[in-house]
C-alpha cells in the first residue's frame, strides 16, 4: 500500500469506510499558516454525501478533530493530524456481500492481493477515503492562499451532455449556484435531470470535472519525471472512479498541426505571456504563468441497484443485488476532491521549487 | 529536478541533448537476471532518430556502455549504470536560438526556474533524454520476461486518422511490419502519407499510442495514491509531448451507464475472469489479471520549420526560424518509450507487491 | 520536519506533549498479522512514566485506540492508525517557561526554525513522542515474531557504573526483574541507588542501553547507504537524548589489530558461522546470521530542578527554574524505545530484502 | 540495494572496485553554482590510494569526467553525472579468493543476499565506492561555500594513540601538514610509526576521525526522525569500516550530571550562544549555530596479509592468504570521505530547511 502523497508537503491518509475513523497526517506543512478550521469544515461539507437529491443519501456528519500540529491558531511546522470519526459503523448491512466480488469494485483484487478484506462498504477502497484528502487539501489551499494561488473545479460533462463553452467563457462565480457545481445553469438543469432519471433507473452515469489553477507562479514542476502535469495526472488518477486525464489541448491536440498548436510568446506589462494556451499553462513540465486547466474523466460508479452476475470467494456463481442507497453520479462531489488534489500538488511543487537555484 | 523514477526498481537518468553523454543508473534491479546486451541495443535502435523517412534525420549511433552492476552476464543486485556517449555535440547549430524562447518549448520555463539553460537542442528538456528511459526499460522488460509479463505498444492514431479496431481485433505481430509501428497496414499507409505531407509542409502533427500489458498477475498496484493506473498515467505524462492518458473505457466511459460499464465476474479454468474489460485490467488500482490497455495522446511536436513570433530573454520581440531537420510526428519513435515506461512501472509494482502479505 | 521512518514498513508519527493526542500511522504493514492489542498495550506500559521511583512521576494512562487497518483481529494491509489521547493538557503549568529557552532543550532551535513553538512540555520535541514509536514498534515486533526474530534491550551503564559482563554472560530473562531493566541484579541495585540520589539532588544522569537482535536471517541491510547498522544508528540517534551509537566492537575496536578483529568463518550444522563476532552480526552492511548487538549512549536529560542561566525570546538574560517532577535517568524507559526502533528497522529491512534477487 | 542518499540534494552512486567505472549522479543540486573542476579533482586526490607510505600502494588515477549538468562553468539544476573510469581491471588477481569468504569482508553476506557476487576486489562492497562519494561531496562543499559553511575532519586516534587536545586547542590549518592528516605533529609522528610497523607486521589497525562543521546556520535538521545528528550518524556509519559514531559529549556524556552537561544560553553581539557546547552544535536534532563536532570509529580493515581460516561457497574449510598490497590503516584517507558525507548531509538539510516556515 501507498497511502502517502507528496515530497515535502506530504500527506498520509488512513481509514476504512466503516471503520472507527478516517484521517490524515500532514507532515511538512510550513509553520506560520493561519489554521482556519471553519474553512476546512466547509470543504468537507462540499464533499460529504447527502447534500442533495443527486448524491447518495447516506448521512455522514464528517466533522473533524485536530489532534496535533496547531498552536494558538497557527501551524507549527510539526505534523498535523486531522481525524473524522465515523458515526455509522453498522457492519450488518454488508453481510450480503461479505464473500461476493461486486463487479468493477476492488473486492476481488484486494482479496487476492492482501488475502483479507474489510468488506464493509468497500473498506479502504471506498471513496469515503477521499474525505481525508479534502481535509488535507483544504490545508494546502490555506498555504496556496498565502501565495495568491487560486484553485477551482467544476462539472463540465455528465453522460453525453457537455458544456460547449470553455472555462474562459463561463462565470466561475456561479459554480456553487446549483447542486451539480456546473457554471452553466441551463446545461446544469439538463445534467441534473439526467442524473435524477439515472437514479430512478437504479443505475449510474459518468461525467467529467474540469480543474483549474490561476495565478500559479512560473517554475512549478520537477522534470523529468515529476513534471507538473505528470503529478497532476497521477493525483487525479488516484481518485476513485477516474479513467482519464488530459491537460491543455489534451486528446484533441492530437489532430492539430504544430503551427496551430504552438503558443507564441509576447510580452505584456513586463511579463512573458502566450497568445494561445494549448499548453494548459505548463511547458516542459513546468508552470509558465498562464492558466492551468485540465479535465478528469469519471466512469459511472460501480454500485448500482440492479442485480448482477458475479462469483464469490469460493469461485461459485452468485447474484449481487444492490441494497440501500446509491450515488447515481459522483461528479458534483468530485469537484472538491479534484480541487483538493490540485492544491496538494501545487503546494508540494511550490515547496520543491525553493531548491531550484542558489 | 526529479530525475528518479520508481520505489524499488528505481532509475535515475541524466544527460542533455548535446552534452557529453546520456545515461541512467538503475538501483534496485534484482540480482540474477540474464543481462541481454543485444536486446537492450535493439530497443535503443527502435527509438533512435533517422530510422525512416517519417522521423527526424538526425543521426545518432546510440550505442551504450555498461559501467557497472553486471558480472559474468548477470545482474548482481548492485546499481547498473548504462551510458550513451553523444557523438554529435556541435553547439554552433544552436547559436541562433541561444537567447530566444521557442514557442511551446521549455526554453522560457527552464530559464525562469533555473536562471540558466543549456540551449543546445533543448538541453535536458530534449526528448533525447528518453534514450536513457528506453535502456532502463529494456532492463525492466528482461525482469518482466522472467515473470512471463509481456508489454507492447502501437500507433493507433495520427492526426485525424484513427484505427477503428480494438487491440483484440488486430494482429499485434504485424506492429513492426511498417515504419509507423501500426498493426493495421492500410491505415498505416494513410498515416504515413499524412506524416510525409506534414513534413513537406514543414509542420508537425500529433498522434496516439496504445499501450498494452499481457499476463500481468493479479495484485500489482499500491492504493490509494500509487494505484497501478495512476503510476502508469504519471509515467506516460512524464514523456515529452504527452497531453493525455486514459485507460480501459477512458473518456468514452463517461457516457456509459454503470449497468453497461461494470465488468461481471465469472470463473474459467479455475481463474476469476471478467466478461467485459472496461476496467482495462485494473480494479481499485490493482491489476485483476485481465489485459491492461491504455491510450497516450501526443501533441504535435513544437519544433517546426516555419517562422514563429516569440520573445528573447531580454523580452524583445523576435522571430524564431526553423533550421535543419525536424520530426514531423513522434509516435513511431514513441512506441518503444511507452513500452519502456510501462515495463518500468510494472517491474517496480511487481517488487512492491512482494510485501503485501505475510 | 520528517516524521516518517521506513521505506516499506513506514511509520508517520504525530502529536505534542500536551496536545490533544499522539499517534502513528503505519503504512506498509503486511496483511495477515495477528493484531495482538494486549501486547501493544503492554509495550506502551513499559515506556510510560510513573512506573517506579526512578522515573518521572507524571501520570499518563497511555491507552491507545486502533482507528484503522485491522479487521477481525488481523492486519489488512491498509494503513494502521494508532492514537493515544492525552489526558493531561494543562497549559498553565508551562507559562513560566513560555518565552524562555531551557538549556540543552530544543526551545531555541524550534523557535528559530519554525518561528513558533508549542512551549507546553516541549511540544513536539518532548520524549512523549516516543510513545507513538513504541506502539508502532510493537506492531513491528508482531511481524518479526512471524519470522522468529527476537529483539531485546537492557540497561548496561548508569553514570560511571557499568556492567562488566557481555550480553552472552548475562541471563537476559532477568531484564524485567528490576525497575531499571538491567540483567545484573547487583549492578542494578547500585545503579538504582545512584539514580535515586541523583533525583534527590534534583539532577539527572546519563546511561547506556545495549540493544540485541537474535535469529536475524542472513541478508538484511541495503548497501551502500542503507547498511543495516547505518539504519540502526540513525534510528537510535533519532531517539531523544541519544549522543552516540556503536555496534559490534564499536569504539573499542579502534585499538585492535585486523588479525584480532577479523571474524573467521566456519561451518556448523550446515550453516556458515563466525568464531568471534566483533562484526556485531553485520558484515558489509548486511546481517550475517550472528547475534546483532549495539550500544546506545543517553546523555543526562536536560530537565533538572536546579536554577540555570539562560535567555528568553527577546534575548534578555533570565533564570530557568525547575518545577514539578523530573526524570532523573531515562534509561529504564528507553529500553522499550530502543527495542521498538530496532524492530522497526528490522521489519523494514526484511521487507526490502524480498527484492534482492529473482 | 540503496545507493541513493539525500532528499533534495540527492546522490546515486554506482560502480565496482574492478568494474569499468565508478560514478555518481547528483540530482537536485541547485543551479548557478560555480563548478570548480579543479577543486573536485583535488578532493579525489586526497582520497586516492598510493599517496604515501601509510596507505595502500594500489595506483589509481581517479581522474573524473563530467557527463552532464554543467554548462558554461555553472550547474544548471539538471542531474550532474561524474564518472571515474577504472584503469586497472585485472580480474586474474582475484581468482584465488573467487569462491572464498574473506573473514570480516562482505563476501559471505553479498553471496547469500544476491546469489551472485563480483569477487574482484570486493566488487561493490569495496571502499573504492567512496571515490564517488568524495566527488559528490566536493560538489556539496561548493554549495556550502556559497553559504559560508566550512567542513573539516582530521585523524584523532590511531590504535591506542589519542590526541589529548580538543579541536579547539589544535591548529586546524596544519591538518594537511602530515601524511596522516592529524593536526598534532608529535602525535602524528607516533601514529605514523605505529601504522608503519603494523604494515610491516602485515596487519591493520583502527582509528578515529573527528568531523567538524563551522558557521552552520541555526535551523538545519528535520525532527523527529531526520535529526541532524541522526543523518550525520547514518552517513558516517554508511562508510566502510565504521563501527561507531558520537557527537558532542558522546559516550563520555553518559557519566555527566545534567547540571554539568546542560549548555546555558547567553547573548553576544545580538546572537544567542551557549557557554559550553556539550550539545555538539545540535539541540533537538536541529543545528543551534555553535560548532558541530563528532567522532567516527574505524575498525582495522579486514584485508590483512596473514593467513586466515575460512570457508568457501561450498562450505569447505579453506585458508585465505593475503596477496599484493594492503592498507594498514584507513583513517588518513577516510578524512576526505568523512568531510564529503558531512557536506552532503548539510547541503541536503540546508535545502530541506527552506520549507520550514512561510
Amino acid at each position: 500500500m501507498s497511502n502517502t502523497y507528496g515530497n515535502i508537503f506530504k500527506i498520509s491518509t488512513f481509514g476504512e469506510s466503516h471503520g472507527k475513523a478516517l484521517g490524515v497526517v500532514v507532515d511538512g506543512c510550513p509553520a506560520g499558516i493561519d489554521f482556519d478550521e471553519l474553512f476546512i469544515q466547509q470543504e468537507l461539507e462540499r464533499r460529504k454525501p447527502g447534500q442533495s437529491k443527486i448524491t447518495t443519501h447516506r448521512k455522514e456528519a464528517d466533522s473533524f478533530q485536530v489532534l496535533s500540529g496547531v498552536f494558538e491558531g497557527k501551524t507549527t511546522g510539526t505534523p498535523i493530524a486531522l481525524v473524522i470519526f465515523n458515526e455509522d459503523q453498522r457492519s450488518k448491512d454488508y453481510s450480503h456481500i461479505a464473500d461476493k466480488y461486486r463487479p468493477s469494485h476492488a473486492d476481488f483484487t484486494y482479496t487476492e492481493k492482501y488475502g483479507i478484506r474489510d468488506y464493509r462498504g468497500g473498506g479502504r477502497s471506498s471513496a469515503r477515503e477521499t474525505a481525508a484528502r479534502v481535509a488535507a487539501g483544504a490545508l494546502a489551499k490555506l498555504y496556496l492562499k498565502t501565495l495568491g494561488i487560486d484553485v477551482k473545479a467544476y462539472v463540465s460533462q455528465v453522460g453525453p451532455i457537455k458544456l460547449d463553452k470553455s472555462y474562459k467563457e463561463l462565470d466561475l462565480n456561479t459554480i456553487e449556484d446549483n447542486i451539480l457545481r456546473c457554471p452553466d445553469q441551463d446545461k446544469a438543469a439538463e445534467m441534473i435531470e439526467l442524473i435524477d432519471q439515472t437514479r430512478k433507473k437504479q443505475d449510474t452515469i459518468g461525467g467529467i470535472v474540469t480543474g483549474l489553477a490561476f495565478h500559479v507562479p512560473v517554475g512549478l514542476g520537477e522534470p523529468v519525471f515529476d513534471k507538473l502535469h505528470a503529478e497532476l495526472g497521477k493525483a487525479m488518477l488516484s481518485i476513485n472512479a477516474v479513467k482519464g486525464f488530459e491537460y491543455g489541448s489534451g486528446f484533441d491536440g492530437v489532430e492539430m498541426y504544430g503551427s496551430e498548436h504552438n503558443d507564441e510568446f509576447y510580452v505584456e506589462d513586463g511579463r512573458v505571456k502566450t497568445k494561445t494556451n494549448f499548453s494548459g499553462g505548463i511547458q516542459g513540465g513546468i508552470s509558465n504563468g498562464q492558466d492551468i486547466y485540465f479535465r478528469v474523466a469519471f466512469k459511472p460508479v460501480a454500485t448500482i441497484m440492479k442485480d448482477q452476475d458475479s462469483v464469490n470467494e469460493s469461485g461459485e456463481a452468485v447474484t449481487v443485488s444492490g441494497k440501500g442507497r446509491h450515488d447515481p453520479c459522483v461528479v458534483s462531489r468530485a469537484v472538491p476532491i479534484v480541487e483538493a488534489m490540485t492544491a496538494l500538488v501545487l503546494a508540494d511543487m511550490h515547496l520543491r521549487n525553493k531548491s531550484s537555484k542558489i
Side-chain angles (χ1 to χ4, degrees), chain A:
Chain A
M1 275 248 158
S2 178
N3 299 281
T4 302
Y5 181 78
N7 276 259
I8 297 182
F9 196 107
K10 198 159 25 183
I11 69 169
S12 293
T13 69
F14 61 87
E16 285 82 42
S17 175
H18 285 62
K20 200 158 190 177
L22 290 159
V24 61
V25 179
V26 183
D27 188 10
C29 179
I33 298 172
D34 286 321
F35 189 81
D36 186 341
E37 278 204 48
L38 184 61
F39 173 72
I40 298 174
Q41 188 60 52
Q42 282 166 344
E43 290 291 283
L44 284 169
E45 302 289 330
R46 291 175 71 211
R47 192 214 68 94
K48 85 171 182 186
Q51 297 173 53
S52 72
K53 66 174 178 175
I54 58 166
T55 64
T56 174
H57 290 193
R58 175 175 165 175
K59 286 280 192 307
E60 288 161 0
D62 278 2
S63 56
F64 77 105
Q65 292 184 32
V66 191
L67 301 190
S68 65
V70 179
F71 187 61
E72 298 179 345
K74 284 193 186 290
T75 59
T76 60
T78 62
I80 300 164
L82 307 177
V83 176
I84 301 162
F85 282 87
N86 281 326
E87 299 180 346
D88 179 0
Q89 299 181 50
R90 292 162 304 170
S91 299
K92 57 175 184 260
D93 292 342
Y94 292 90
S95 56
H96 63 295
I97 51 110
D99 74 337
K100 291 179 185 173
Y101 297 143
R102 291 169 300 160
S104 288
H105 273 278
D107 300 344
F108 168 63
T109 52
Y110 269 62
T111 304
E112 286 289 306
K113 186 178 179 73
Y114 302 109
I116 182 176
R117 159 173 71 94
D118 180 347
Y119 51 77
R120 299 168 303 167
R124 182 68 182 154
S125 72
S126 163
R128 176 122 185 78
E129 172 262 328
T130 56
R133 302 186 184 204
V134 169
L139 189 52
K141 280 185 176 181
L142 291 174
Y143 174 58
L144 296 182
K145 202 177 150 188
T146 70
L147 306 164
I149 299 172
D150 196 18
V151 167
K152 275 198 164 49
Y154 62 84
V155 172
S156 50
Q157 183 169 340
V158 171
I161 308 171
K162 314 176 192 197
L163 297 199
D164 39 27
K165 293 176 185 152
S166 88
Y167 76 92
K168 295 214 161 191
E169 302 161 291
L170 294 163
D171 180 358
L172 302 179
N173 293 316
T174 69
I175 293 173
E176 301 281 334
D177 287 358
N178 56 62
I179 54 176
L180 188 61
R181 297 197 173 96
C182 170
D184 180 322
Q185 305 306 320
D186 293 338
K187 288 281 186 180
E190 280 181 61
M191 293 170 178
I192 290 167
E193 176 60 23
L194 173 59
I195 295 172
D196 207 34
Q197 280 171 17
T198 303
R199 183 176 57 74
K200 283 171 189 159
K201 281 196 267 186
Q202 310 203 324
D203 216 329
T204 57
I205 187 93
I208 292 178
V209 172
T210 293
L212 299 162
F214 301 108
H215 314 304
V216 176
V218 185
L220 274 54
E222 301 292 323
V224 297
F225 292 112
D226 298 354
K227 286 172 172 146
L228 181 51
H229 56 269
E231 284 298 327
L232 283 171
K234 175 180 169 175
M236 297 307 140
L237 287 155
S238 78
I239 301 172
N240 303 48
V242 171
K243 301 295 284 187
F245 169 86
E246 59 179 4
Y247 79 104
S249 62
F251 277 87
D252 288 346
V254 160
E255 306 196 12
M256 294 171 78
Y257 284 104
S259 55
E260 300 169 289
H261 192 278
N262 282 356
D263 298 319
E264 291 185 321
F265 290 107
Y266 70 104
V267 168
E268 192 177 67
D269 305 331
R271 275 188 56 215
V272 174
K273 298 182 178 179
T274 61
K275 294 180 191 172
T276 49
N277 184 17
F278 293 111
S279 298
I282 304 172
Q283 290 177 326
I286 299 167
S287 61
N288 69 355
Q290 304 304 301
D291 297 344
I292 290 172
Y293 65 97
F294 55 86
R295 290 171 11 112
V296 187
F298 289 82
K299 68 164 188 174
V301 285
T303 303
I304 59 176
M305 292 298 107
K306 296 177 172 180
D307 282 3
Q308 296 174 90
D309 290 344
S310 192
V311 299
N312 64 14
E313 291 185 15
S314 314
E316 298 157 339
V318 296
T319 298
V320 171
S321 307
K323 204 174 145 183
R325 291 133 173 181
H326 81 297
D327 225 335
C329 185
V330 289
V331 285
S332 63
R333 291 173 57 212
V335 164
I337 306 170
V338 166
E339 289 178 10
M341 293 309 299
T342 305
L344 287 163
V345 170
L346 293 174
D348 193 42
M349 285 297 175
H350 192 270
L351 294 169
R352 293 176 75 177
N353 190 39
K354 286 177 186 279
S355 300
S356 295
K357 52 189 166 191
I358 57 168

